[in-house]
Amino acid sequence: MKLTAFDQVLVYGATGPAGAARESVRLAVSAERLGYDRFWVAEHHGATSGCGSPEILVAAAAAETATIRVGTASVLLPHYAPLKVATTFNLLERLFPGRIDLGIGRGPGAGEPVVRQLARPDEAPYPEKVERLVTHLTVGTDLLPDSTPPQLWLTGAGPGGALLAARHGLPFSLAQFAHGAARPDIVDLYRDNFRPGPLGAVPRVSIAARVACAEDPRDVRLLRSLLALAAAPTNRRTLPSWDELHAMGSTAPSPIAGTDTDGMSVLAGVPTEVAEKLAALIAAYSPDELAFTTVCPDFDLRVRTFELLRAMLPAVP
């Protein structure tokens, strides 16, 4: 089973936005060393975001690695012209042939004030933009230089995204972290309606899961508290550092406040517990691939989480 290390490029404590971007590149290097097949970064906007231009991080991470595929989860297509996205990833694919993934999605990626600034007048509906992007990447025209296309993925959390991916013959990545329980009905809808296309002959499913895993139960509790803090309304511009989280002590949010760390939205626990939850996730979906993301301010512990997850699953030849 292929594995993806998925970085949301969160901003922690004194590390700040600059440190978040640099650590993302370091994480790509670590993911390659650990045997991951893909490294994806998210797009979010605003003062608290570590990555508003994922294509730049993709280029930086690809330049520092040699074999791992690097891409996005996802470029928020409603904010952009499809041709601009196709042009950017055409160039990335020419620079790093056979290693670029273009994950697209429709989420806002920011609060309403920022989304209003990103909005473009008279924009086409999202499904139409997806169709245009597929055309740009697959139909030979004078709009783009000759190149093999990046691997295009559609990411989503509901039936609409699943059906859109199926209609265009695209791989589909389901955001399991948006659901407290498994939703195999969404994946079944995708598989049942899949139509082979120029970018995909058979359905391909990746399940994206958020994980809070550590060998020390005390660290697991802190990570669960951090997830609760991240989900709660706040005026903080960054999430707390590991030292700040320890210093909060009893004032840290309850591990079950504001997020579901006992269900499927977060696979939380020590390795044996996470392995059991992971086995249940695989049984529910029979996925082709898994993507993991984590919320962890300590970089070494973040890498260790991906190492533990890699060890839970057999390597792909």
Side-chain angles (χ1 to χ4, degrees):
M1 182 178 297
K2 290 190 174 183
L3 299 182
T4 298
F6 169 35
D7 189 12
Q8 294 183 299
V9 200
L10 301 174
V11 180
Y12 300 103
T15 301
R22 295 190 187 99
E23 285 189 349
S24 187
V25 175
R26 290 175 59 200
L27 188 60
V29 173
S30 296
E32 181 174 70
R33 174 180 59 80
L34 293 172
Y36 278 76
D37 302 279
R38 307 180 194 271
F39 178 77
W40 288 352
V41 293
E43 175 181 340
H44 294 104
H45 294 272
T48 60
S49 166
C51 183
S53 299
E55 64 274 17
I56 295 178
L57 265 186
V58 167
E64 292 297 319
T65 53
T67 58
I68 194 170
R69 296 190 66 94
V70 184
T72 56
S74 48
V75 168
L76 303 178
L77 193 57
H79 299 323
Y80 309 109
L83 180 58
K84 173 58 177 174
V85 175
T87 301
T88 298
F89 281 79
N90 171 281
L91 176 55
L92 286 168
E93 179 66 22
R94 284 183 282 131
L95 286 169
F96 308 102
R99 294 184 55 211
I100 300 300
D101 295 336
L102 168 53
I104 56 171
R106 70 185 307 166
E112 183 59 32
V114 177
V115 171
R116 283 199 302 269
Q117 296 294 321
L118 289 167
R120 293 156 45 90
D122 303 319
E123 279 294 280
Y126 178 63
E128 184 177 327
K129 283 191 161 192
V130 173
E131 183 173 359
R132 290 180 186 175
L133 180 61
V134 171
T135 299
H136 291 321
L137 292 174
T138 58
V139 177
T141 69
D142 59 359
L143 296 177
L144 292 173
D146 288 338
S147 174
T148 56
Q151 188 170 110
L152 182 60
W153 285 75
L154 197 146
T155 68
L163 286 173
L164 193 57
R167 183 185 314 153
H168 293 287
L170 300 177
F172 178 60
S173 181
L174 177 70
Q176 173 58 49
F177 50 80
H179 301 285
R183 290 293 307 274
D185 56 302
I186 297 174
V187 168
D188 290 344
L189 189 68
Y190 164 71
R191 288 175 171 145
D192 292 344
N193 289 276
F194 185 86
R195 301 176 188 171
L199 295 175
V202 295
R204 187 163 193 87
V205 172
S206 173
I207 303 299
R210 181 173 287 123
V211 180
C213 181
E215 290 149 307
D216 189 332
R218 293 170 296 182
D219 288 341
V220 174
R221 190 187 186 286
L222 284 175
L223 292 174
R224 295 177 71 179
S225 294
L226 182 61
L227 285 163
L229 186 64
T234 178
N235 292 322
R236 293 183 64 107
R237 293 174 68 91
T238 68
L239 290 170
S241 68
W242 196 236
D243 289 341
E244 289 171 334
L245 197 59
H246 273 278
M248 286 182 182
S250 60
T251 65
S254 165
I256 60 172
T259 190
D260 172 22
T261 56
D262 293 314
M264 286 287 199
S265 64
V266 182
L267 308 185
V270 296
T272 53
E273 295 170 326
V274 171
E276 290 179 5
K277 295 177 181 180
L278 188 54
L281 191 75
I282 292 170
Y285 289 108
S286 298
D288 303 288
E289 307 193 14
L290 291 169
F292 299 124
T293 187
T294 189
V295 177
C296 180
D298 183 85
F299 181 79
D300 291 338
L301 184 56
R302 202 180 316 157
V303 171
R304 180 59 177 159
T305 297
F306 285 105
E307 184 177 14
L308 292 170
L309 290 165
R310 170 76 274 185
M312 293 175 196
L313 294 155
V316 176

